[in-house]
Amino acid sequence: MHKYDYSFLESLPLPDNVSGLLDRLRIMQKAFAGKAPKERPRQEPDFSGLPDELVTAYKASSAEPLLLVPCFTLDTICALDSQSRAAGLAKLLLSRSGYSMCKYFPLEESISKYRYFYQRALERASAHWEQNGSAYLYYIEIFLSLLYLCGKDLTVPAGRSTKRAAIEEMVLQSETPISKAEICAALPEVSPTTVEAALGAMVRTGRAKKVGATRAARYIKA
């Protein structure tokens, strides 16, 4: 019987690509927050039909929502042997946990569009689930990747000063060195020239340091 316990998330080692996705989604949320639509009355999540142990484990966890919610979603899919509720519930839980932008994400469409990659990750993550052998990281990675693809067109900084601030914040909050290309991908309406200028200014003023050179160059808080 599967045991629901998310305490492992507190010390889960994350590969660079997952850490990078977390950074980009946090930046997206901050950009979105500045121009978010007026909030409607908050919808309560529907946990009906889910195992009590699963709901209790979710509510008891204080882990980063972007890590916790995909784990809960995977467990929901495995427990119910159905994906019909999972995406909608995941968006609602994220929106109530500080990531209000997710409420507007077409996550179901993104899952359908990238069905092959999604199913492959789901199968790998749920292998031996009954014996508590699910490899959550496979699902976390595809889940965050799909969220990022959903959010790229919804969170765009407006004016030039806001763009510069978004670039700086992305570098300063990243736990790993980040490249110009990664920043451009996370902020699609900011020109590469603006990104390059902002990075250069941060290096000159000592706010960031450059690691590597030419196309391999990455930047991190000094």
Side-chain angles (χ1 to χ4, degrees):
M1 181 177 179
H2 186 78
K3 296 180 180 179
Y4 303 103
D5 181 5
Y6 300 123
S7 59
F8 72 94
L9 289 173
E10 302 293 340
S11 58
L12 178 67
L14 299 176
D16 289 347
N17 63 320
V18 174
S19 295
L21 285 166
L22 288 174
D23 289 337
R24 294 174 188 79
L25 286 165
R26 288 166 181 154
I27 293 295
M28 282 182 171
Q29 173 57 38
K30 290 190 176 183
F32 174 84
K35 56 176 184 177
K38 184 177 180 180
E39 283 290 328
R40 298 177 181 176
R42 297 182 69 185
Q43 179 184 353
E44 293 297 324
D46 178 13
F47 293 123
S48 61
L50 294 179
D52 291 340
E53 297 85 353
L54 170 57
V55 178
T56 299
Y58 172 78
K59 292 182 176 180
S61 177
S62 58
E64 159 61 54
L66 288 173
L67 298 177
L68 174 62
V69 170
C71 291
F72 174 81
T73 302
L74 174 64
D75 283 339
T76 296
I77 293 171
C78 292
L80 300 181
D81 193 23
S82 171
Q83 299 185 38
S84 58
R85 292 174 55 191
L89 182 56
K91 292 195 298 182
L92 178 58
L93 293 175
L94 283 170
S95 71
R96 291 172 58 89
S97 301
Y99 295 94
S100 55
M101 62 180 181
C102 294
K103 184 190 313 182
Y104 305 96
F105 283 4
L107 183 57
E108 297 86 346
E109 294 177 17
S110 190
I111 290 174
S112 179
K113 182 176 180 180
Y114 298 98
R115 174 65 61 181
Y116 170 78
F117 300 100
Y118 177 81
Q119 284 298 134
R120 185 172 64 174
L122 177 59
E123 289 169 5
R124 295 178 76 181
S126 59
H128 310 296
W129 181 82
E130 285 287 354
Q131 293 78 38
N132 298 294
S134 59
Y136 287 100
L137 198 54
Y138 291 119
Y139 193 77
I140 290 172
E141 181 178 7
I142 190 64
F143 187 90
L144 297 184
S145 297
L146 293 177
L147 282 182
Y148 170 69
L149 291 172
C150 287
K152 281 179 66 176
D153 296 331
L154 295 182
T155 54
V156 179
R160 181 173 180 178
S161 60
T162 307
K163 293 178 181 180
R164 182 68 66 94
I167 295 165
E168 293 176 353
E169 189 171 24
M170 194 164 188
V171 174
L172 296 176
Q173 291 194 357
S174 179
E175 296 179 0
T176 58
I178 188 169
S179 70
K180 173 185 169 182
E182 289 173 321
I183 296 173
C184 289
L187 304 172
E189 288 197 7
V190 180
S191 72
T193 302
T194 300
V195 173
E196 189 171 344
L199 292 173
M202 292 184 73
V203 171
R204 288 193 299 273
T205 58
R207 301 183 66 201
K209 60 181 179 181
K210 185 177 180 181
V211 180
T214 62
R215 292 185 179 181
R218 292 175 176 268
Y219 301 82
I220 194 166
K221 180 180 178 181

